[in-house]
Amino acid sequence: MTHSTPNVRLKLCLGLLLAVTGLAMTTQASLAADKPKEQQISRVIAKEMTAAQKALQASQWQEALKNLDAAEQKSGLTPFDKKTIFDFKGFANVRLNKLKEAEQNYEQAIATGQYTPEEAAKTTRMLFRLSAGNQQYSKALDYGKQVADAGGANADDLAVMSQIYFLQKDCKNSASWADKAITAARKAGETPKENLYQFKLQCASDAADNAAMSAVLIDLIRLTNKTNYWNTLLRIERQEERDDHNLLMIYRIMYDTNSMNAGSDYMEMAQLLGDAALPGEAAAVIEKGMSAGLFTEQKDKDRATRLANTLKPRAETDKKGQAQFDAEAAKNPAGELDVKTGEVYYGSGDYQNAVTAINRGIPKNQIKHLDEAYVYLGRSYVQLKNTADAKKAFTGLKTVPNINPRVLKLWELYSEKLGS
């Protein structure tokens, strides 16, 4: 059996979570007459600035810029005059979506040194987002670090830092800032953004680090429970497994999470189930793959048909003998026959009798594969839409001596996401 590492494909938003208009955009400057003299505009530009402010209030952005250009041409401007002009211009240009011009305006305004510390912090954060959106990444990183060091960065700001580093192929720093963003989001009672984990996943994939990929995929499944992440995780875990018993346990999770998307998956799972004396379930698996049209080449269709035709008579024989087998299992002092009866019931779709038989067998002990007993008990409860008892059954896996750690980890994750 050969398995290849999946190639992760990420659809990254190159807009860098910009959302500049969501930054509580207001002008920092004011023309109020009650300010100290050094914080008031000069009389020489009072007319133009008053007109510009009125235009801004009326959302007449071009008219505001016209008046601000006129004010800028006046001679004898104070640093406070220049700061106010550039601040107003930056606001208007953002509203016009002229982000490069806005970035230049705010840089000119902050260079005057006339902002209060609070205003300077807000403007630095604005410049961080603007330079990021304008793909001036080196500058954006400098501004972002200033914002973070000052304690003014929220989860979105930290996420932008992570994405910039990712775009620059700096996986170490991308992961570090992603972790900061995730922590900040959780602290704020927010759900972390999916793409933060995707950055880490792509970096791990590029480095062919399967262990790191698995860890991130588990986080992504906990976050989203998406089948594509289940598919990728289980393929990675599957290729590391050489024991057929454990391999089949992984296939069961693939099947139950609807994350099997290749005909070869259904073929191999059905063969393993057939070898495990579970022809009813094996027949259902191969028929599902055939119904989904996953066998596209004629040779594969023929092979699947031959396998199905071999499994169906065996499944019918098992079904006809269920009642007798059940009665014999109930009388047997060992639990092995009860569990096998339950597995056969599961394969024929009789989930309630599967639950009854397995619950009868587990307390008897003397079960060859106790891990399978708990798995089929949990799966039967899932089919009966009894999530609470399904989770309880899967919890029993922790008591199984020498259970494969990979199998335990994956079924615990599956149980964790039940009902979500």
Short mmCIF file of all heavy atoms in Angstrom, two decimals, residues 124-147:
data_model
loop_
_atom_site.label_atom_id
_atom_site.label_comp_id
_atom_site.label_asym_id
_atom_site.label_seq_id
_atom_site.Cartn_x
_atom_site.Cartn_y
_atom_site.Cartn_z
N THR A 124 -0.25 55.95 13.56
CA THR A 124 0.72 54.89 13.27
C THR A 124 -0.01 53.61 12.88
O THR A 124 0.38 52.91 11.95
CB THR A 124 1.62 54.64 14.49
OG1 THR A 124 2.34 55.84 14.80
CG2 THR A 124 2.62 53.53 14.20
N ARG A 125 -1.10 53.32 13.58
CA ARG A 125 -1.88 52.13 13.24
C ARG A 125 -2.51 52.28 11.86
O ARG A 125 -2.57 51.32 11.07
CB ARG A 125 -2.97 51.91 14.29
CG ARG A 125 -3.78 50.63 14.05
CD ARG A 125 -4.57 50.24 15.30
NE ARG A 125 -5.34 49.04 15.05
CZ ARG A 125 -6.65 49.00 14.91
NH1 ARG A 125 -7.35 50.12 15.01
NH2 ARG A 125 -7.28 47.87 14.69
N MET A 126 -2.97 53.50 11.54
CA MET A 126 -3.52 53.76 10.21
C MET A 126 -2.44 53.56 9.15
O MET A 126 -2.68 52.93 8.11
CB MET A 126 -4.06 55.18 10.14
CG MET A 126 -4.56 55.59 8.76
SD MET A 126 -5.96 54.62 8.21
CE MET A 126 -7.20 55.22 9.35
N LEU A 127 -1.24 54.05 9.42
CA LEU A 127 -0.15 53.90 8.46
C LEU A 127 0.25 52.44 8.29
O LEU A 127 0.64 52.01 7.20
CB LEU A 127 1.05 54.73 8.92
CG LEU A 127 0.92 56.24 8.66
CD1 LEU A 127 1.98 57.02 9.43
CD2 LEU A 127 1.04 56.53 7.16
N PHE A 128 0.15 51.68 9.35
CA PHE A 128 0.43 50.24 9.27
C PHE A 128 -0.51 49.58 8.28
O PHE A 128 -0.09 48.87 7.37
CB PHE A 128 0.27 49.63 10.67
CG PHE A 128 0.13 48.13 10.67
CD1 PHE A 128 1.08 47.33 10.06
CD2 PHE A 128 -0.95 47.53 11.31
CE1 PHE A 128 0.95 45.95 10.08
CE2 PHE A 128 -1.09 46.16 11.33
CZ PHE A 128 -0.14 45.36 10.72
N ARG A 129 -1.80 49.85 8.42
CA ARG A 129 -2.77 49.22 7.53
C ARG A 129 -2.64 49.75 6.10
O ARG A 129 -2.77 49.00 5.14
CB ARG A 129 -4.19 49.45 8.05
CG ARG A 129 -4.52 48.69 9.32
CD ARG A 129 -4.42 47.18 9.09
NE ARG A 129 -4.96 46.43 10.21
CZ ARG A 129 -6.19 45.96 10.29
NH1 ARG A 129 -7.03 46.16 9.30
NH2 ARG A 129 -6.58 45.30 11.36
N LEU A 130 -2.41 51.04 5.95
CA LEU A 130 -2.28 51.63 4.61
C LEU A 130 -1.05 51.08 3.89
O LEU A 130 -1.14 50.70 2.71
CB LEU A 130 -2.20 53.15 4.71
CG LEU A 130 -3.51 53.88 5.05
CD1 LEU A 130 -3.23 55.33 5.41
CD2 LEU A 130 -4.49 53.80 3.88
N SER A 131 0.09 51.03 4.56
CA SER A 131 1.31 50.54 3.90
C SER A 131 1.18 49.05 3.58
O SER A 131 1.68 48.58 2.56
CB SER A 131 2.53 50.80 4.79
OG SER A 131 2.37 50.23 6.07
N ALA A 132 0.48 48.31 4.42
CA ALA A 132 0.23 46.90 4.12
C ALA A 132 -0.62 46.76 2.88
O ALA A 132 -0.33 45.97 1.98
CB ALA A 132 -0.43 46.22 5.31
N GLY A 133 -1.69 47.53 2.83
CA GLY A 133 -2.58 47.48 1.67
C GLY A 133 -1.91 47.96 0.40
O GLY A 133 -2.25 47.49 -0.69
N ASN A 134 -0.95 48.83 0.54
CA ASN A 134 -0.20 49.33 -0.61
C ASN A 134 1.00 48.43 -0.95
O ASN A 134 1.83 48.78 -1.78
CB ASN A 134 0.28 50.76 -0.35
CG ASN A 134 -0.86 51.75 -0.31
OD1 ASN A 134 -1.88 51.57 -0.97
ND2 ASN A 134 -0.71 52.81 0.48
N GLN A 135 1.08 47.29 -0.27
CA GLN A 135 2.13 46.28 -0.49
C GLN A 135 3.53 46.83 -0.25
O GLN A 135 4.50 46.38 -0.86
CB GLN A 135 2.01 45.68 -1.90
CG GLN A 135 0.67 44.97 -2.11
CD GLN A 135 0.55 44.31 -3.47
OE1 GLN A 135 1.56 43.99 -4.08
NE2 GLN A 135 -0.66 44.11 -3.94
N GLN A 136 3.63 47.77 0.66
CA GLN A 136 4.93 48.25 1.10
C GLN A 136 5.27 47.51 2.40
O GLN A 136 5.17 48.04 3.51
CB GLN A 136 4.88 49.77 1.31
CG GLN A 136 4.57 50.53 0.03
CD GLN A 136 4.38 52.02 0.25
OE1 GLN A 136 4.12 52.47 1.36
NE2 GLN A 136 4.53 52.79 -0.82
N TYR A 137 5.66 46.26 2.22
CA TYR A 137 5.68 45.35 3.34
C TYR A 137 6.74 45.68 4.39
O TYR A 137 6.51 45.52 5.59
CB TYR A 137 5.86 43.92 2.84
CG TYR A 137 4.73 43.45 1.95
CD1 TYR A 137 4.96 42.63 0.85
CD2 TYR A 137 3.42 43.86 2.20
CE1 TYR A 137 3.92 42.20 0.04
CE2 TYR A 137 2.37 43.45 1.39
CZ TYR A 137 2.63 42.62 0.31
OH TYR A 137 1.61 42.20 -0.50
N SER A 138 7.91 46.10 3.96
CA SER A 138 8.95 46.43 4.93
C SER A 138 8.50 47.57 5.83
O SER A 138 8.66 47.52 7.06
CB SER A 138 10.24 46.81 4.19
OG SER A 138 11.25 47.17 5.10
N LYS A 139 7.91 48.57 5.21
CA LYS A 139 7.41 49.71 5.98
C LYS A 139 6.26 49.28 6.89
O LYS A 139 6.17 49.69 8.05
CB LYS A 139 6.93 50.81 5.02
CG LYS A 139 6.53 52.11 5.71
CD LYS A 139 5.92 53.10 4.72
CE LYS A 139 6.95 53.59 3.73
NZ LYS A 139 6.38 54.66 2.85
N ALA A 140 5.39 48.42 6.37
CA ALA A 140 4.25 47.96 7.16
C ALA A 140 4.72 47.19 8.39
O ALA A 140 4.15 47.35 9.48
CB ALA A 140 3.35 47.07 6.30
N LEU A 141 5.76 46.37 8.24
CA LEU A 141 6.27 45.62 9.38
C LEU A 141 6.82 46.56 10.44
O LEU A 141 6.64 46.32 11.65
CB LEU A 141 7.34 44.63 8.92
CG LEU A 141 6.85 43.45 8.08
CD1 LEU A 141 8.03 42.63 7.59
CD2 LEU A 141 5.89 42.57 8.88
N ASP A 142 7.50 47.61 10.03
CA ASP A 142 8.03 48.59 11.00
C ASP A 142 6.89 49.25 11.77
O ASP A 142 6.94 49.37 13.00
CB ASP A 142 8.86 49.65 10.28
CG ASP A 142 10.20 49.12 9.79
OD1 ASP A 142 10.64 48.07 10.32
OD2 ASP A 142 10.79 49.73 8.88
N TYR A 143 5.87 49.69 11.04
CA TYR A 143 4.72 50.32 11.70
C TYR A 143 4.00 49.31 12.61
O TYR A 143 3.59 49.64 13.72
CB TYR A 143 3.74 50.89 10.68
CG TYR A 143 4.17 52.17 10.02
CD1 TYR A 143 4.17 52.30 8.63
CD2 TYR A 143 4.57 53.27 10.77
CE1 TYR A 143 4.55 53.48 8.01
CE2 TYR A 143 4.96 54.46 10.17
CZ TYR A 143 4.95 54.55 8.79
OH TYR A 143 5.32 55.73 8.18
N GLY A 144 3.84 48.10 12.11
CA GLY A 144 3.13 47.09 12.88
C GLY A 144 3.83 46.78 14.20
O GLY A 144 3.18 46.59 15.24
N LYS A 145 5.16 46.70 14.16
CA LYS A 145 5.91 46.44 15.39
C LYS A 145 5.74 47.60 16.37
O LYS A 145 5.65 47.38 17.59
CB LYS A 145 7.39 46.24 15.05
CG LYS A 145 7.67 44.91 14.34
CD LYS A 145 9.12 44.83 13.88
CE LYS A 145 9.36 43.56 13.07
NZ LYS A 145 10.74 43.52 12.52
N GLN A 146 5.70 48.83 15.85
CA GLN A 146 5.47 49.98 16.73
C GLN A 146 4.11 49.88 17.41
O GLN A 146 3.97 50.13 18.61
CB GLN A 146 5.55 51.28 15.92
CG GLN A 146 6.92 51.64 15.41
CD GLN A 146 6.91 52.94 14.62
OE1 GLN A 146 6.36 53.95 15.07
NE2 GLN A 146 7.51 52.91 13.43
N VAL A 147 3.10 49.51 16.62
CA VAL A 147 1.75 49.38 17.18
C VAL A 147 1.71 48.28 18.23
O VAL A 147 1.15 48.44 19.31
CB VAL A 147 0.73 49.08 16.05
CG1 VAL A 147 -0.65 48.80 16.64
CG2 VAL A 147 0.65 50.25 15.07
#
